[in-house]
């Protein structure tokens, strides 16, 4: 049973435009959410996180939005660059969820020059 | 340089032949974990450890063992590998901060094929 879902396996965006990656979760006990970026032949690397006490966190070109009532988070990349082409995973955890991290299935982003 | 090191990077083995994938981190992190990545299934947690001598099952622990005798090392053991354990494996570590865990640092991955 997938507790964290990324329903779009892939996304293509023109360079300079906004990329929006979406993630849904089912467990209301999750209180910490993260986005990771993964290039081929490398391990995932941390991108940005958000705690459930916030609804937005921004770091340079990357912004994560959290809608707790909808159990939905999204990652916005503005402006998108070709180097952003990678697989993006969202992940969630909570102190009351057994200290496990739950990952989505990933979205492959292609930024077209 | 802060890092998580896994070995080997690639491994082909036969069904039933015991193997160990090593994982070491140099950041003094309390939390370590193992994941497998399969097409269409994302990253699934196999086992995790919150500190030395403390290990717990993740979502897909069947067929795997782990140990945490030292803080820096968290080996993954397949006692009798089977073809359905062919996968890409990642080790990760995180720091404990204010009763919760920070973002994970991942190793480079181990591509395992069981024939």
């Amino acid at each position: 049973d997938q507790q964290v879902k990324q329903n779009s396996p892939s996304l293509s965006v023109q360079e300079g435009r906004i990329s929006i990656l979406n993630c849904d979760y089912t467990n209301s006990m999750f209180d910490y959410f993260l986005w990771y970026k993964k290039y081929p032949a490398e391990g995932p690397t941390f991108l940005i996180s958000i705690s459930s006490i916030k609804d937005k966190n921004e770091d340079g070109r990357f912004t994560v939005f959290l809608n707790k009532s909808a159990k939905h988070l999204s990652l916005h990349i503005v402006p998108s660059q070709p180097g952003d082409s990678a697989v993006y995973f969202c992940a969630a955890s909570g102190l009351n969820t057994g200290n496990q991290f739950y990952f989505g299935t990933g979205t492959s982003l292609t930024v077209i020059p | 340089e802060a890092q998580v090191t896994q070995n080997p990077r690639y491994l082909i083995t036969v069904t039933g032949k015991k193997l160990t994938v090593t994982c070491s981190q140099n950041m003094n992190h309390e939390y370590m974990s193992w994941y497998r990545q399969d097409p269409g299934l994302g990253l699934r947690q196999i086992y995790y450890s919150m500190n030395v001598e403390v290990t717990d099952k993740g979502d897909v622990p069947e067929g795997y063992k782990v140990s945490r005798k030292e803080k820096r090392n968290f080996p993954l053991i397949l006692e009798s590998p089977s073809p359905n354990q062919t996968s890409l494996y990642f080790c990760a570590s995180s720091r404990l901060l204010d009763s919760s865990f920070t973002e994970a640092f991942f190793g480079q991955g181990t591509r395992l094929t069981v024939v």
Side-chain angles (χ1 to χ4, degrees):
Chain A
D1 181 30
Q2 197 80 21
Q3 298 194 49
V4 178
K5 300 177 185 178
Q6 294 175 258
N7 293 318
S8 298
S10 61
L11 175 68
S12 289
V13 171
Q14 208 72 32
E15 181 179 3
R17 307 293 287 265
I18 184 171
S19 295
I20 300 176
L21 295 92
N22 293 304
C23 179
D24 297 294
Y25 61 96
T26 58
N27 192 335
S28 57
M29 299 302 290
F30 289 148
D31 57 15
Y32 185 50
F33 304 89
L34 311 94
W35 284 94
Y36 288 85
K37 179 178 178 177
K38 185 183 180 302
Y39 292 119
E42 293 184 13
T45 55
F46 169 74
L47 197 55
I48 193 169
S49 64
I50 188 167
S51 132
S52 60
I53 62 173
K54 294 185 174 182
D55 54 20
K56 176 183 174 181
N57 189 26
E58 196 170 348
D59 183 3
R61 295 186 297 115
F62 303 92
T63 303
V64 56
F65 295 92
L66 175 62
N67 182 334
K68 289 186 290 293
S69 60
K71 295 192 182 70
H72 177 84
L73 65 153
S74 60
L75 174 68
H76 292 209
I77 306 173
V78 182
S80 301
Q81 299 173 353
D84 295 330
S85 297
V87 177
Y88 290 79
F89 291 97
C90 68
S93 73
L95 282 182
N96 293 322
T97 60
N99 294 302
Q100 285 187 237
F101 282 90
Y102 295 87
F103 282 78
T105 51
T107 296
S108 178
L109 173 66
T110 302
V111 180
I112 304 161
Chain B
E1 181 191 349
Q3 59 185 5
V4 177
T5 304
Q6 294 177 229
N7 279 297
R9 292 289 310 276
Y10 302 92
L11 180 60
I12 301 175
T13 189
V14 296
T15 300
K17 186 177 181 183
K18 181 179 177 180
L19 66 92
T20 299
V21 184
T22 63
C23 174
S24 181
Q25 50 96 2
N26 63 0
M27 296 166 279
N28 202 36
H29 284 171
E30 293 80 9
Y31 188 95
M32 296 186 75
S33 55
W34 277 101
Y35 298 85
R36 58 179 290 174
Q37 183 187 0
D38 301 290
L41 296 175
L43 289 157
R44 293 180 295 167
Q45 198 165 27
I46 302 170
Y47 267 96
Y48 63 97
S49 168
M50 293 180 63
N51 217 322
V52 176
E53 301 293 0
V54 181
T55 62
D56 280 294
K57 295 178 181 178
D59 279 341
V60 287
E62 294 78 21
Y64 305 95
K65 282 175 56 178
V66 291
S67 69
R68 188 90 182 273
K69 294 184 170 57
E70 306 164 282
K71 199 171 187 180
R72 64 181 292 127
N73 296 323
F74 191 45
L76 179 70
I77 303 155
L78 284 74
E79 293 271 2
S80 182
S82 61
N84 65 12
Q85 292 178 297
T86 293
S87 187
L88 178 58
Y89 291 86
F90 290 101
C91 178
S93 72
S94 304
R95 186 164 54 104
L96 179 62
L97 182 67
D98 296 333
S99 301
S100 63
F101 293 98
T102 63
E103 69 275 11
F105 289 78
F106 281 83
Q108 296 269 58
T110 296
R111 172 80 60 186
L112 172 65
T113 302
V114 183
V115 297

